[in-house]
Amino acid sequence: QVCLITGAGSGLGRLFALEFARRRALLVLWDINTQSNEETAGMVRHIYRDLEAADAAALQAGNGEEEILPHCNLQVFTYTCDVGKRENVYLTAERVRKEVGEVSVLVNNAGVVSGHHLLECPDELIERTMMVNCHAHFWTTKAFLPTMLEINHGHIVTVASSLGLFSTAGVEDYCASKFGVVGFHESLSHELKAAEKDGIKTTLVCPYLVDTGMFRGCRIRKEIEPFLPPLKPDYCVKQAMKAILTDQPMICTPRLMYIVTFMKSILPFEAVVCMYRFLGADKCMYPFIAQRKQATNNNEAKNGI
């Protein structure tokens, strides 16, 4: 099937591409960074070559009697696309339809973080966070959902965050964008159910802090940290893939996130505050923000700004 992944040039997007490649998907990779996107494509092609070699070996060993999965469609296509720009999304989607075909699996993964306290965050960075992390899901879904509806087949994967289920201090724009995309995904899922389009599946992916460098420096209480360390990216993607392949509507990793979400739903706000303080989650982003600020200041000094 044709699988399109946004933000495929690095992090979870790259790992999703490799996992889908191992399952013989025809891949369409979108990223704003052309070079990193091509690097991901190179990794995918290496996996395809290994699959073709394994097929050839199995065919030879079976003297042609064993049925081998066809590999003529093992291809990867790359497109440079800024998903935060609506026109760019629609134009690139049209190119995909003409050059590749209709998309069966849409993985909305692209995401950014500003790393500033609200009053210190430039307005354009807030807008950028909302456009990439939330608005882009509207544009990509509107681009590819109509055909899915016509044939009643497809799968829409929304890579959100645990910060789309419960929030923390210092990353208001990021939390707002992830809360927004969780709401979008849930509403879309209900709309598909109401239309009785059971052939179109949806999966919401809400991981805890993933060790991709996106939130480098984020720390919870040191006594709690050994029990709740940052997730390894490989583990996060493998768990998400299990959910996608089994049509699971939602996956939170680790499972403790289900409990935290449930507690937040039933406890009074002040009790939630106490829980956050006990875990050290109330100010967990402050070290990350301080690091980003220091890095920005160093760059400004180096560039003479």
Side-chain angles (χ1 to χ4, degrees):
Q1 299 192 55
V2 178
C3 173
L4 189 151
I5 303 171
T6 66
S10 60
L12 298 185
R14 173 172 289 178
L15 295 175
F16 271 116
L18 301 183
E19 286 294 324
F20 276 104
R22 294 185 183 104
R23 289 163 176 81
R24 301 172 182 268
L26 191 157
L27 282 170
V28 179
L29 308 180
W30 285 14
D31 201 279
I32 194 172
N33 188 320
T34 303
Q35 181 179 346
S36 61
N37 205 27
E38 290 296 339
E39 290 172 0
T40 301
M43 298 176 186
V44 168
R45 292 186 184 102
H46 181 75
I47 291 175
Y48 285 164
R49 285 194 294 269
D50 289 345
L51 289 173
E52 291 170 357
D55 288 349
L59 187 62
Q60 185 176 8
N63 295 322
E65 296 178 1
E66 185 177 343
E67 183 180 354
I68 304 298
L69 289 172
H71 55 72
C72 58
N73 287 329
L74 294 186
Q75 301 178 62
V76 56
F77 300 83
T78 57
Y79 296 86
T80 302
C81 180
D82 183 352
V83 295
K85 296 180 179 178
R86 182 178 67 250
E87 296 82 2
N88 200 340
V89 170
Y90 289 153
L91 288 173
T92 309
E94 188 59 32
R95 284 185 58 200
V96 169
R97 276 191 289 270
K98 290 179 179 178
E99 298 171 11
V100 184
E102 295 296 341
V103 170
S104 306
V105 182
L106 173 62
V107 182
N108 281 313
N109 164 78
V112 296
V113 60
S114 62
H116 296 278
H117 290 286
L118 176 62
L119 299 182
E120 298 174 357
C121 188
D123 292 350
E124 56 269 21
L125 285 186
I126 295 175
E127 291 176 339
R128 179 70 179 161
T129 300
M130 295 301 298
M131 286 189 294
V132 174
N133 294 3
C134 184
H135 297 173
H137 293 244
F138 287 81
W139 318 142
T140 56
T141 303
K142 288 186 71 176
F144 298 111
L145 181 60
T147 301
M148 294 184 186
L149 290 172
E150 285 179 14
I151 62 177
N152 192 24
H153 175 76
H155 201 130
I156 297 175
V157 180
T158 300
V159 182
S161 168
S162 58
L163 291 179
L165 303 173
F166 50 85
S167 58
T168 187
V171 283
E172 289 87 351
D173 57 338
Y174 186 83
C175 288
S177 68
K178 292 301 184 180
F179 266 77
V181 81
V182 168
F184 164 76
H185 180 94
E186 291 182 353
S187 180
L188 175 64
S189 300
H190 285 303
E191 182 171 342
L192 293 172
K193 292 294 184 185
E196 297 183 354
K197 295 294 182 178
D198 295 331
I200 305 174
K201 309 300 181 182
T202 59
T203 300
L204 176 65
V205 181
C206 292
Y208 172 62
L209 180 66
V210 184
D211 189 16
T212 60
M214 190 174 186
F215 287 102
R216 183 175 288 113
C218 176
R219 299 290 300 273
I220 60 173
R221 186 175 174 179
K222 63 180 180 180
E223 293 85 0
I224 304 294
E225 205 164 41
F227 303 98
L228 200 59
L231 297 174
K232 296 296 182 184
D234 284 337
Y235 170 79
C236 177
V237 170
K238 287 183 184 300
Q239 293 298 109
M241 285 299 297
K242 288 180 182 178
I244 294 166
L245 294 171
T246 56
D247 298 331
Q248 188 173 326
M250 180 180 182
I251 174 72
C252 290
T253 48
R255 292 183 181 276
L256 180 61
M257 294 300 103
Y258 292 109
I259 300 175
V260 176
T261 305
F262 177 70
M263 297 294 286
K264 183 219 171 190
S265 301
I266 65 172
L267 291 176
F269 179 73
E270 291 302 327
V272 174
V273 171
C274 291
M275 179 177 68
Y276 272 39
R277 287 176 177 170
F278 173 76
L279 296 173
D282 56 333
K283 298 180 180 179
C284 65
M285 289 294 173
Y286 284 22
F288 155 71
I289 294 172
Q291 282 191 15
R292 289 289 288 259
K293 187 174 183 179
Q294 182 65 40
T296 301
N297 292 339
N298 290 342
N299 288 335
E300 289 178 350
K302 182 168 61 178
N303 296 328
I305 298 175

